[in-house]
Amino acid sequence: MGIDGFLKQVLEIKSLEVSKAKSNIPLNTIRREAENTKPAASFLTALQKSSPDDIGIIAEVKKASPSKGDIRPDLDPVLYAQTYTMAGARAISVLTESQYFKGSLKDLEAVCANTELPVLRKDFTIGSYQIYEAKKAGASSILLITTILSKDQLTDYIHLARELGMEPLVEITSEKEFEIAYDCDAKVVDMNNRNLQTLETDLNVSKRIAAIIPEDIIPVEASGISCFADIDNGLSSNIFNFLVGESIVKAKDPELLIKELRNIK
Ligand SMILES: O=C(O)c1ccccc1NCC(=O)[C@H](O)[C@H](O)COP(=O)(O)O
């Protein structure tokens, strides 16, 4: 499937944003700063702990989205991160894309500075510059989307992230993309239930892909999860880590919802 519609637009905007960022802080400078940033909590170790008795929730700081528009545009990322930490989330995901998700690198830096949990930079990564930015901000992981990268890019970015001490989360939307991610040396894959072209979610996507995931890979189910029944459905496919955004951010009591998703009575 080619890249068009929403993805095409977001990648054009991203490319301009990265060029602008490079003209403020050159690549060599940000690389040196990233290399001098102290190690953050391990994303891989955190996710490896998860099991049916200790469900891993990666709780997302999500102000808005292309599919839903504004969700909570004024949310305080640090307050939410503190709530997620208290609720026993396994990790925190912070959207840094500004145009459609109203996120920023500032949100990422603020969250990283205020939690002991591993933090994922969720964005449309198109080059090494953004990987250095994430490390400099204190992140433990970055999102790499198989659909938008060549095999060479995916391999290079996975290894660069690892060299910087971050285990990347590699997003896939089909069995074919899983084979690509596996060949490129991914260890943690995010099976996205949301179709990036139509923006529709279907929880069967993860169930289907999970059937071919070998034991040496950690699968994460992402998108469209709103209650324990959705989690239970994933558990039956040997998925123990779940990335949840909108339903937590919109919940009256995000701490309670995270505990419900973790099946904590
Ligand atoms: O959320 C969207 O509408 C979206 C559209 C296109 C690309 C990515 C998108 N979201 C980023 C995410 O990966 C989700 O925020 C994450 O999986 C959580 O999903 P949800 O629990 O459904 O908010």
Side-chain angles (χ1 to χ4, degrees):
M1 192 191 290
I3 295 177
D4 45 36
F6 159 76
L7 265 187
K8 190 162 182 263
Q9 270 179 36
V10 83
L11 293 178
E12 281 167 9
I13 296 168
K14 196 47 53 187
S15 168
L16 290 175
E17 261 180 35
V18 174
S19 302
K20 201 170 155 206
K22 277 182 186 164
S23 65
N24 287 334
I25 306 178
L27 179 65
N28 279 341
T29 309
I30 197 137
R31 180 192 296 134
R32 204 176 42 251
E33 290 173 341
E35 286 167 352
N36 290 331
T37 302
K38 66 176 173 44
S42 167
F43 186 65
L44 183 63
T45 307
L47 268 54
Q48 279 168 336
K49 276 202 313 218
S50 303
S51 71
D53 297 325
D54 189 4
I55 297 164
I57 301 296
I58 305 171
E60 189 157 88
V61 173
K62 185 172 188 178
K63 295 175 177 173
S65 79
S67 53
K68 299 290 167 64
D70 281 355
I71 300 173
R72 272 198 204 281
D74 301 325
L75 73 73
D76 179 337
V78 171
L79 277 184
Y80 269 73
Q82 285 165 345
T83 303
Y84 295 172
T85 308
M86 278 188 313
R90 183 68 82 240
I92 299 176
S93 164
V94 179
L95 280 154
T96 56
E97 198 282 331
S98 59
Q99 190 80 18
Y100 293 94
F101 294 91
K102 302 198 169 169
S104 68
L105 264 182
K106 277 203 175 123
D107 290 351
L108 179 68
E109 283 161 6
V111 169
C112 291
N114 284 282
T115 181
E116 297 294 312
L117 292 178
V119 180
L120 163 73
R121 178 187 187 179
K122 198 102 195 289
D123 209 319
F124 298 84
T125 306
I126 53 167
S128 54
Y129 191 89
Q130 295 156 286
I131 304 177
Y132 293 122
E133 280 182 330
K135 176 65 187 172
K136 185 186 162 193
S140 299
S141 182
I142 49 151
L143 182 73
L144 295 173
I145 304 175
T146 303
T147 312
I148 63 171
L149 298 170
S150 68
K151 270 186 104 169
D152 284 349
Q153 285 175 316
L154 189 54
T155 309
D156 288 353
Y157 300 160
I158 288 174
H159 292 137
L160 174 61
R162 256 178 221 149
E163 275 161 33
L164 292 167
M166 300 185 291
E167 183 56 44
L169 179 64
V170 179
E171 181 166 300
I172 54 172
T173 53
S174 66
E175 289 87 337
K176 195 171 160 216
E177 285 191 353
F178 172 70
E179 299 299 345
I180 295 171
Y182 194 66
D183 281 354
C184 295
D185 202 21
K187 284 194 170 75
V188 188
V189 295
D190 159 357
M191 303 174 297
N192 197 349
N193 292 319
R194 183 173 286 110
N195 181 311
L196 294 182
Q197 314 276 351
T198 64
L199 305 187
E200 278 163 16
T201 52
D202 172 3
L203 271 63
N204 290 315
V205 169
S206 295
K207 234 181 149 48
R208 221 189 52 223
I209 304 174
I212 64 153
I213 304 254
E215 275 185 9
D216 58 334
I217 298 294
I218 299 182
V220 176
E221 174 167 354
S223 303
I225 295 163
S226 61
C227 59
F228 182 70
D230 297 336
I231 301 277
D232 206 23
N233 195 28
L235 293 178
S236 65
S237 297
N238 288 329
I239 305 166
F240 310 136
N241 288 290
F242 302 86
L243 198 156
V244 189
E246 185 186 336
S247 60
I248 294 178
V249 170
K250 271 182 33 189
K252 250 196 201 134
D253 185 341
E255 184 174 347
L256 185 65
L257 178 58
I258 292 173
K259 287 183 173 160
E260 279 172 17
L261 297 175
R262 293 177 60 219
N263 205 18
I264 301 288
K265 300 277 176 343

PDB file of all heavy atoms in Angstrom, residues 6-7 60 62 64-68 71 95 101 122 124 143 171 190 192 194-196 199 201 222-225 243-247, ligand 1:
ATOM      1  N   PHE A   6      -3.634  11.099   4.914  1.00  0.00           N
ATOM      2  CA  PHE A   6      -3.130  11.666   6.162  1.00  0.00           C
ATOM      3  C   PHE A   6      -1.612  11.489   6.294  1.00  0.00           C
ATOM      4  O   PHE A   6      -0.895  12.430   6.639  1.00  0.00           O
ATOM      5  CB  PHE A   6      -3.850  11.014   7.348  1.00  0.00           C
ATOM      6  CG  PHE A   6      -3.101  11.129   8.629  1.00  0.00           C
ATOM      7  CD1 PHE A   6      -3.080  12.329   9.332  1.00  0.00           C
ATOM      8  CD2 PHE A   6      -2.377  10.056   9.124  1.00  0.00           C
ATOM      9  CE1 PHE A   6      -2.347  12.445  10.499  1.00  0.00           C
ATOM     10  CE2 PHE A   6      -1.646  10.167  10.301  1.00  0.00           C
ATOM     11  CZ  PHE A   6      -1.643  11.362  10.990  1.00  0.00           C
ATOM     12  N   LEU A   7      -1.123  10.269   6.015  1.00  0.00           N
ATOM     13  CA  LEU A   7       0.307   9.987   6.217  1.00  0.00           C
ATOM     14  C   LEU A   7       1.181  10.877   5.352  1.00  0.00           C
ATOM     15  O   LEU A   7       2.208  11.378   5.790  1.00  0.00           O
ATOM     16  CB  LEU A   7       0.601   8.524   5.870  1.00  0.00           C
ATOM     17  CG  LEU A   7       0.600   7.532   7.028  1.00  0.00           C
ATOM     18  CD1 LEU A   7       1.059   6.172   6.559  1.00  0.00           C
ATOM     19  CD2 LEU A   7       1.464   8.023   8.186  1.00  0.00           C
ATOM     20  N   GLU A  60      -0.736   6.715  27.576  1.00  0.00           N
ATOM     21  CA  GLU A  60      -0.301   7.773  26.655  1.00  0.00           C
ATOM     22  C   GLU A  60      -0.791   9.158  27.064  1.00  0.00           C
ATOM     23  O   GLU A  60      -1.935   9.325  27.487  1.00  0.00           O
ATOM     24  CB  GLU A  60      -0.814   7.438  25.252  1.00  0.00           C
ATOM     25  CG  GLU A  60      -0.240   8.335  24.174  1.00  0.00           C
ATOM     26  CD  GLU A  60      -0.299   7.643  22.826  1.00  0.00           C
ATOM     27  OE1 GLU A  60      -1.324   7.761  22.140  1.00  0.00           O
ATOM     28  OE2 GLU A  60       0.682   6.973  22.469  1.00  0.00           O
ATOM     29  N   LYS A  62      -2.011  12.176  25.437  1.00  0.00           N
ATOM     30  CA  LYS A  62      -2.568  12.412  24.091  1.00  0.00           C
ATOM     31  C   LYS A  62      -3.592  13.542  24.158  1.00  0.00           C
ATOM     32  O   LYS A  62      -4.691  13.366  24.670  1.00  0.00           O
ATOM     33  CB  LYS A  62      -3.228  11.100  23.614  1.00  0.00           C
ATOM     34  CG  LYS A  62      -3.760  11.118  22.201  1.00  0.00           C
ATOM     35  CD  LYS A  62      -4.210   9.712  21.788  1.00  0.00           C
ATOM     36  CE  LYS A  62      -4.558   9.648  20.325  1.00  0.00           C
ATOM     37  NZ  LYS A  62      -4.962   8.287  19.898  1.00  0.00           N
ATOM     38  N   ALA A  64      -4.791  15.400  21.457  1.00  0.00           N
ATOM     39  CA  ALA A  64      -5.682  15.454  20.277  1.00  0.00           C
ATOM     40  C   ALA A  64      -5.234  14.370  19.315  1.00  0.00           C
ATOM     41  O   ALA A  64      -4.180  13.764  19.496  1.00  0.00           O
ATOM     42  CB  ALA A  64      -5.562  16.829  19.620  1.00  0.00           C
ATOM     43  N   SER A  65      -6.047  14.118  18.303  1.00  0.00           N
ATOM     44  CA  SER A  65      -5.632  13.110  17.313  1.00  0.00           C
ATOM     45  C   SER A  65      -6.264  13.410  15.958  1.00  0.00           C
ATOM     46  O   SER A  65      -7.284  14.102  15.888  1.00  0.00           O
ATOM     47  CB  SER A  65      -6.030  11.711  17.785  1.00  0.00           C
ATOM     48  OG  SER A  65      -7.401  11.481  17.533  1.00  0.00           O
ATOM     49  N   PRO A  66      -5.686  12.883  14.885  1.00  0.00           N
ATOM     50  CA  PRO A  66      -6.266  13.116  13.558  1.00  0.00           C
ATOM     51  C   PRO A  66      -7.656  12.491  13.428  1.00  0.00           C
ATOM     52  O   PRO A  66      -8.516  13.016  12.741  1.00  0.00           O
ATOM     53  CB  PRO A  66      -5.290  12.413  12.603  1.00  0.00           C
ATOM     54  CG  PRO A  66      -4.104  12.054  13.396  1.00  0.00           C
ATOM     55  CD  PRO A  66      -4.443  12.119  14.845  1.00  0.00           C
ATOM     56  N   SER A  67      -7.879  11.364  14.138  1.00  0.00           N
ATOM     57  CA  SER A  67      -9.181  10.709  13.981  1.00  0.00           C
ATOM     58  C   SER A  67     -10.253  11.340  14.856  1.00  0.00           C
ATOM     59  O   SER A  67     -11.426  11.344  14.501  1.00  0.00           O
ATOM     60  CB  SER A  67      -9.073   9.208  14.276  1.00  0.00           C
ATOM     61  OG  SER A  67      -8.491   8.974  15.531  1.00  0.00           O
ATOM     62  N   LYS A  68      -9.871  11.914  16.023  1.00  0.00           N
ATOM     63  CA  LYS A  68     -10.887  12.417  16.966  1.00  0.00           C
ATOM     64  C   LYS A  68     -10.841  13.925  17.167  1.00  0.00           C
ATOM     65  O   LYS A  68     -11.680  14.482  17.867  1.00  0.00           O
ATOM     66  CB  LYS A  68     -10.729  11.718  18.318  1.00  0.00           C
ATOM     67  CG  LYS A  68     -10.911  10.199  18.268  1.00  0.00           C
ATOM     68  CD  LYS A  68     -12.361   9.822  18.006  1.00  0.00           C
ATOM     69  CE  LYS A  68     -12.543   8.362  17.634  1.00  0.00           C
ATOM     70  NZ  LYS A  68     -12.184   7.424  18.659  1.00  0.00           N
ATOM     71  N   ILE A  71      -8.963  16.012  22.190  1.00  0.00           N
ATOM     72  CA  ILE A  71      -9.372  15.041  23.221  1.00  0.00           C
ATOM     73  C   ILE A  71      -9.330  15.776  24.571  1.00  0.00           C
ATOM     74  O   ILE A  71     -10.348  15.975  25.215  1.00  0.00           O
ATOM     75  CB  ILE A  71      -8.464  13.792  23.211  1.00  0.00           C
ATOM     76  CG1 ILE A  71      -8.528  13.101  21.828  1.00  0.00           C
ATOM     77  CG2 ILE A  71      -8.892  12.817  24.312  1.00  0.00           C
ATOM     78  CD1 ILE A  71      -7.550  11.967  21.635  1.00  0.00           C
ATOM     79  N   LEU A  95       3.073  11.819  22.987  1.00  0.00           N
ATOM     80  CA  LEU A  95       3.011  12.230  21.580  1.00  0.00           C
ATOM     81  C   LEU A  95       3.702  13.581  21.449  1.00  0.00           C
ATOM     82  O   LEU A  95       3.386  14.525  22.182  1.00  0.00           O
ATOM     83  CB  LEU A  95       1.559  12.320  21.135  1.00  0.00           C
ATOM     84  CG  LEU A  95       0.951  10.949  20.802  1.00  0.00           C
ATOM     85  CD1 LEU A  95      -0.547  10.931  20.984  1.00  0.00           C
ATOM     86  CD2 LEU A  95       1.317  10.538  19.383  1.00  0.00           C
ATOM     87  N   PHE A 101      -1.569  16.216  16.820  1.00  0.00           N
ATOM     88  CA  PHE A 101      -1.707  15.648  18.173  1.00  0.00           C
ATOM     89  C   PHE A 101      -1.491  16.699  19.272  1.00  0.00           C
ATOM     90  O   PHE A 101      -1.633  16.401  20.446  1.00  0.00           O
ATOM     91  CB  PHE A 101      -0.703  14.504  18.369  1.00  0.00           C
ATOM     92  CG  PHE A 101      -0.963  13.305  17.488  1.00  0.00           C
ATOM     93  CD1 PHE A 101      -0.375  13.196  16.234  1.00  0.00           C
ATOM     94  CD2 PHE A 101      -1.813  12.284  17.899  1.00  0.00           C
ATOM     95  CE1 PHE A 101      -0.607  12.096  15.409  1.00  0.00           C
ATOM     96  CE2 PHE A 101      -2.044  11.182  17.108  1.00  0.00           C
ATOM     97  CZ  PHE A 101      -1.445  11.080  15.848  1.00  0.00           C
ATOM     98  N   LYS A 122       6.545   9.301  21.053  1.00  0.00           N
ATOM     99  CA  LYS A 122       5.657   8.834  20.004  1.00  0.00           C
ATOM    100  C   LYS A 122       5.574   9.926  18.939  1.00  0.00           C
ATOM    101  O   LYS A 122       5.074  11.018  19.182  1.00  0.00           O
ATOM    102  CB  LYS A 122       4.278   8.576  20.628  1.00  0.00           C
ATOM    103  CG  LYS A 122       3.375   7.706  19.828  1.00  0.00           C
ATOM    104  CD  LYS A 122       3.339   6.302  20.408  1.00  0.00           C
ATOM    105  CE  LYS A 122       2.745   5.288  19.457  1.00  0.00           C
ATOM    106  NZ  LYS A 122       1.318   5.448  19.291  1.00  0.00           N
ATOM    107  N   PHE A 124       6.389  10.605  14.317  1.00  0.00           N
ATOM    108  CA  PHE A 124       6.647  10.034  12.994  1.00  0.00           C
ATOM    109  C   PHE A 124       8.147  10.219  12.735  1.00  0.00           C
ATOM    110  O   PHE A 124       8.567  11.264  12.255  1.00  0.00           O
ATOM    111  CB  PHE A 124       5.772  10.735  11.947  1.00  0.00           C
ATOM    112  CG  PHE A 124       4.307  10.534  12.219  1.00  0.00           C
ATOM    113  CD1 PHE A 124       3.622  11.350  13.104  1.00  0.00           C
ATOM    114  CD2 PHE A 124       3.628   9.466  11.635  1.00  0.00           C
ATOM    115  CE1 PHE A 124       2.282  11.134  13.404  1.00  0.00           C
ATOM    116  CE2 PHE A 124       2.288   9.239  11.925  1.00  0.00           C
ATOM    117  CZ  PHE A 124       1.619  10.073  12.805  1.00  0.00           C
ATOM    118  N   LEU A 143       9.319   5.607  18.740  1.00  0.00           N
ATOM    119  CA  LEU A 143       8.472   4.816  17.831  1.00  0.00           C
ATOM    120  C   LEU A 143       9.091   4.839  16.440  1.00  0.00           C
ATOM    121  O   LEU A 143       9.468   5.902  15.936  1.00  0.00           O
ATOM    122  CB  LEU A 143       7.067   5.408  17.773  1.00  0.00           C
ATOM    123  CG  LEU A 143       6.091   4.623  16.891  1.00  0.00           C
ATOM    124  CD1 LEU A 143       5.682   3.320  17.574  1.00  0.00           C
ATOM    125  CD2 LEU A 143       4.848   5.434  16.559  1.00  0.00           C
ATOM    126  N   GLU A 171       6.498  -0.211  14.975  1.00  0.00           N
ATOM    127  CA  GLU A 171       5.072  -0.365  14.674  1.00  0.00           C
ATOM    128  C   GLU A 171       4.833  -1.157  13.392  1.00  0.00           C
ATOM    129  O   GLU A 171       5.448  -0.899  12.363  1.00  0.00           O
ATOM    130  CB  GLU A 171       4.426   1.012  14.547  1.00  0.00           C
ATOM    131  CG  GLU A 171       2.936   0.919  14.267  1.00  0.00           C
ATOM    132  CD  GLU A 171       2.254   2.229  14.475  1.00  0.00           C
ATOM    133  OE1 GLU A 171       2.297   2.747  15.605  1.00  0.00           O
ATOM    134  OE2 GLU A 171       1.691   2.741  13.504  1.00  0.00           O
ATOM    135  N   ASP A 190       4.908  -3.036  18.020  1.00  0.00           N
ATOM    136  CA  ASP A 190       3.630  -2.424  18.375  1.00  0.00           C
ATOM    137  C   ASP A 190       2.654  -2.776  17.247  1.00  0.00           C
ATOM    138  O   ASP A 190       2.784  -2.305  16.124  1.00  0.00           O
ATOM    139  CB  ASP A 190       3.905  -0.912  18.474  1.00  0.00           C
ATOM    140  CG  ASP A 190       2.708  -0.013  18.340  1.00  0.00           C
ATOM    141  OD1 ASP A 190       1.597  -0.507  18.115  1.00  0.00           O
ATOM    142  OD2 ASP A 190       2.894   1.206  18.461  1.00  0.00           O
ATOM    143  N   ASN A 192      -0.444  -2.221  15.607  1.00  0.00           N
ATOM    144  CA  ASN A 192      -1.408  -1.117  15.650  1.00  0.00           C
ATOM    145  C   ASN A 192      -2.754  -1.556  15.083  1.00  0.00           C
ATOM    146  O   ASN A 192      -2.854  -1.951  13.925  1.00  0.00           O
ATOM    147  CB  ASN A 192      -0.858   0.092  14.875  1.00  0.00           C
ATOM    148  CG  ASN A 192      -1.602   1.361  15.235  1.00  0.00           C
ATOM    149  OD1 ASN A 192      -2.647   1.318  15.895  1.00  0.00           O
ATOM    150  ND2 ASN A 192      -1.073   2.498  14.814  1.00  0.00           N
ATOM    151  N   ARG A 194      -5.023   0.446  14.523  1.00  0.00           N
ATOM    152  CA  ARG A 194      -5.548   1.562  13.719  1.00  0.00           C
ATOM    153  C   ARG A 194      -4.902   1.543  12.343  1.00  0.00           C
ATOM    154  O   ARG A 194      -3.684   1.513  12.218  1.00  0.00           O
ATOM    155  CB  ARG A 194      -5.274   2.893  14.421  1.00  0.00           C
ATOM    156  CG  ARG A 194      -5.844   4.093  13.682  1.00  0.00           C
ATOM    157  CD  ARG A 194      -5.726   5.383  14.468  1.00  0.00           C
ATOM    158  NE  ARG A 194      -6.672   5.448  15.559  1.00  0.00           N
ATOM    159  CZ  ARG A 194      -6.349   5.383  16.856  1.00  0.00           C
ATOM    160  NH1 ARG A 194      -5.091   5.267  17.225  1.00  0.00           N
ATOM    161  NH2 ARG A 194      -7.268   5.441  17.801  1.00  0.00           N
ATOM    162  N   ASN A 195      -5.744   1.553  11.312  1.00  0.00           N
ATOM    163  CA  ASN A 195      -5.251   1.613   9.943  1.00  0.00           C
ATOM    164  C   ASN A 195      -4.786   3.055   9.683  1.00  0.00           C
ATOM    165  O   ASN A 195      -5.569   4.002   9.824  1.00  0.00           O
ATOM    166  CB  ASN A 195      -6.402   1.223   8.995  1.00  0.00           C
ATOM    167  CG  ASN A 195      -5.993   1.240   7.553  1.00  0.00           C
ATOM    168  OD1 ASN A 195      -5.398   2.211   7.087  1.00  0.00           O
ATOM    169  ND2 ASN A 195      -6.329   0.187   6.845  1.00  0.00           N
ATOM    170  N   LEU A 196      -3.512   3.219   9.328  1.00  0.00           N
ATOM    171  CA  LEU A 196      -2.946   4.574   9.212  1.00  0.00           C
ATOM    172  C   LEU A 196      -3.453   5.328   7.979  1.00  0.00           C
ATOM    173  O   LEU A 196      -3.247   6.531   7.879  1.00  0.00           O
ATOM    174  CB  LEU A 196      -1.418   4.515   9.196  1.00  0.00           C
ATOM    175  CG  LEU A 196      -0.743   4.041  10.490  1.00  0.00           C
ATOM    176  CD1 LEU A 196       0.769   4.083  10.368  1.00  0.00           C
ATOM    177  CD2 LEU A 196      -1.183   4.872  11.689  1.00  0.00           C
ATOM    178  N   LEU A 199      -7.666   5.415   9.231  1.00  0.00           N
ATOM    179  CA  LEU A 199      -7.762   5.800  10.645  1.00  0.00           C
ATOM    180  C   LEU A 199      -8.821   4.998  11.417  1.00  0.00           C
ATOM    181  O   LEU A 199      -9.178   5.339  12.549  1.00  0.00           O
ATOM    182  CB  LEU A 199      -8.003   7.307  10.817  1.00  0.00           C
ATOM    183  CG  LEU A 199      -7.001   8.237  10.147  1.00  0.00           C
ATOM    184  CD1 LEU A 199      -7.249   9.690  10.529  1.00  0.00           C
ATOM    185  CD2 LEU A 199      -5.556   7.887  10.504  1.00  0.00           C
ATOM    186  N   THR A 201     -10.193   1.683  13.548  1.00  0.00           N
ATOM    187  CA  THR A 201      -9.553   0.668  14.403  1.00  0.00           C
ATOM    188  C   THR A 201     -10.307  -0.658  14.345  1.00  0.00           C
ATOM    189  O   THR A 201     -11.537  -0.683  14.263  1.00  0.00           O
ATOM    190  CB  THR A 201      -9.463   1.120  15.878  1.00  0.00           C
ATOM    191  OG1 THR A 201     -10.742   1.518  16.301  1.00  0.00           O
ATOM    192  CG2 THR A 201      -8.485   2.238  16.075  1.00  0.00           C
ATOM    193  N   ALA A 222      -1.721  -1.948  20.364  1.00  0.00           N
ATOM    194  CA  ALA A 222      -1.980  -0.503  20.450  1.00  0.00           C
ATOM    195  C   ALA A 222      -3.247  -0.097  19.707  1.00  0.00           C
ATOM    196  O   ALA A 222      -3.548  -0.648  18.640  1.00  0.00           O
ATOM    197  CB  ALA A 222      -0.788   0.257  19.863  1.00  0.00           C
ATOM    198  N   SER A 223      -3.936   0.865  20.275  1.00  0.00           N
ATOM    199  CA  SER A 223      -5.070   1.583  19.681  1.00  0.00           C
ATOM    200  C   SER A 223      -6.424   0.880  19.861  1.00  0.00           C
ATOM    201  O   SER A 223      -6.553  -0.326  19.660  1.00  0.00           O
ATOM    202  CB  SER A 223      -4.867   1.840  18.188  1.00  0.00           C
ATOM    203  OG  SER A 223      -3.673   2.565  17.964  1.00  0.00           O
ATOM    204  N   GLY A 224      -7.389   1.720  20.246  1.00  0.00           N
ATOM    205  CA  GLY A 224      -8.781   1.282  20.318  1.00  0.00           C
ATOM    206  C   GLY A 224      -9.133   0.503  21.570  1.00  0.00           C
ATOM    207  O   GLY A 224     -10.231  -0.053  21.661  1.00  0.00           O
ATOM    208  N   ILE A 225      -8.227   0.465  22.555  1.00  0.00           N
ATOM    209  CA  ILE A 225      -8.501  -0.312  23.784  1.00  0.00           C
ATOM    210  C   ILE A 225      -9.215   0.591  24.787  1.00  0.00           C
ATOM    211  O   ILE A 225      -8.749   1.695  25.073  1.00  0.00           O
ATOM    212  CB  ILE A 225      -7.174  -0.839  24.386  1.00  0.00           C
ATOM    213  CG1 ILE A 225      -6.537  -1.829  23.410  1.00  0.00           C
ATOM    214  CG2 ILE A 225      -7.395  -1.478  25.753  1.00  0.00           C
ATOM    215  CD1 ILE A 225      -5.076  -2.094  23.674  1.00  0.00           C
ATOM    216  N   LEU A 243      -0.821  -0.506  24.709  1.00  0.00           N
ATOM    217  CA  LEU A 243      -0.637   0.947  24.662  1.00  0.00           C
ATOM    218  C   LEU A 243      -2.017   1.604  24.541  1.00  0.00           C
ATOM    219  O   LEU A 243      -2.743   1.336  23.583  1.00  0.00           O
ATOM    220  CB  LEU A 243       0.249   1.301  23.472  1.00  0.00           C
ATOM    221  CG  LEU A 243       0.885   2.691  23.497  1.00  0.00           C
ATOM    222  CD1 LEU A 243       2.127   2.698  22.633  1.00  0.00           C
ATOM    223  CD2 LEU A 243      -0.049   3.776  23.038  1.00  0.00           C
ATOM    224  N   VAL A 244      -2.345   2.435  25.526  1.00  0.00           N
ATOM    225  CA  VAL A 244      -3.698   2.998  25.577  1.00  0.00           C
ATOM    226  C   VAL A 244      -3.630   4.525  25.704  1.00  0.00           C
ATOM    227  O   VAL A 244      -2.949   5.041  26.594  1.00  0.00           O
ATOM    228  CB  VAL A 244      -4.491   2.410  26.777  1.00  0.00           C
ATOM    229  CG1 VAL A 244      -5.956   2.833  26.703  1.00  0.00           C
ATOM    230  CG2 VAL A 244      -4.369   0.894  26.841  1.00  0.00           C
ATOM    231  N   GLY A 245      -4.341   5.223  24.822  1.00  0.00           N
ATOM    232  CA  GLY A 245      -4.320   6.683  24.848  1.00  0.00           C
ATOM    233  C   GLY A 245      -5.662   7.281  25.189  1.00  0.00           C
ATOM    234  O   GLY A 245      -5.975   7.571  26.349  1.00  0.00           O
ATOM    235  N   GLU A 246      -6.481   7.427  24.153  1.00  0.00           N
ATOM    236  CA  GLU A 246      -7.724   8.199  24.270  1.00  0.00           C
ATOM    237  C   GLU A 246      -8.609   7.810  25.459  1.00  0.00           C
ATOM    238  O   GLU A 246      -9.071   8.687  26.193  1.00  0.00           O
ATOM    239  CB  GLU A 246      -8.512   8.048  22.957  1.00  0.00           C
ATOM    240  CG  GLU A 246      -9.755   8.900  22.939  1.00  0.00           C
ATOM    241  CD  GLU A 246     -10.611   8.636  21.705  1.00  0.00           C
ATOM    242  OE1 GLU A 246     -10.061   8.176  20.680  1.00  0.00           O
ATOM    243  OE2 GLU A 246     -11.824   8.881  21.788  1.00  0.00           O
ATOM    244  N   SER A 247      -8.837   6.517  25.660  1.00  0.00           N
ATOM    245  CA  SER A 247      -9.795   6.148  26.712  1.00  0.00           C
ATOM    246  C   SER A 247      -9.277   6.557  28.089  1.00  0.00           C
ATOM    247  O   SER A 247     -10.069   6.959  28.955  1.00  0.00           O
ATOM    248  CB  SER A 247     -10.148   4.658  26.649  1.00  0.00           C
ATOM    249  OG  SER A 247      -9.004   3.889  26.826  1.00  0.00           O
TER     250      SER A 247
HETATM  251  O1  LIG B   1      -4.834   8.425  17.143  1.00  0.00           O
HETATM  252  C1  LIG B   1      -4.938   8.620  15.921  1.00  0.00           C
HETATM  253  O2  LIG B   1      -5.981   9.083  15.408  1.00  0.00           O
HETATM  254  C2  LIG B   1      -3.793   8.311  14.992  1.00  0.00           C
HETATM  255  C3  LIG B   1      -3.961   8.488  13.637  1.00  0.00           C
HETATM  256  C4  LIG B   1      -2.918   8.237  12.773  1.00  0.00           C
HETATM  257  C5  LIG B   1      -1.689   7.823  13.251  1.00  0.00           C
HETATM  258  C6  LIG B   1      -1.513   7.631  14.610  1.00  0.00           C
HETATM  259  C7  LIG B   1      -2.548   7.870  15.466  1.00  0.00           C
HETATM  260  N1  LIG B   1      -2.398   7.719  16.833  1.00  0.00           N
HETATM  261  C8  LIG B   1      -1.152   7.464  17.463  1.00  0.00           C
HETATM  262  C9  LIG B   1      -1.219   6.244  18.229  1.00  0.00           C
HETATM  263  O3  LIG B   1      -0.463   5.361  17.939  1.00  0.00           O
HETATM  264  C10 LIG B   1      -2.233   6.141  19.319  1.00  0.00           C
HETATM  265  O4  LIG B   1      -2.256   7.342  20.007  1.00  0.00           O
HETATM  266  C11 LIG B   1      -1.996   5.005  20.306  1.00  0.00           C
HETATM  267  O5  LIG B   1      -1.903   3.792  19.657  1.00  0.00           O
HETATM  268  C12 LIG B   1      -3.145   4.959  21.312  1.00  0.00           C
HETATM  269  O6  LIG B   1      -4.360   4.782  20.627  1.00  0.00           O
HETATM  270  P1  LIG B   1      -5.758   5.043  21.347  1.00  0.00           P
HETATM  271  O7  LIG B   1      -5.766   4.238  22.622  1.00  0.00           O
HETATM  272  O8  LIG B   1      -6.792   4.574  20.383  1.00  0.00           O
HETATM  273  O9  LIG B   1      -5.849   6.494  21.639  1.00  0.00           O
END
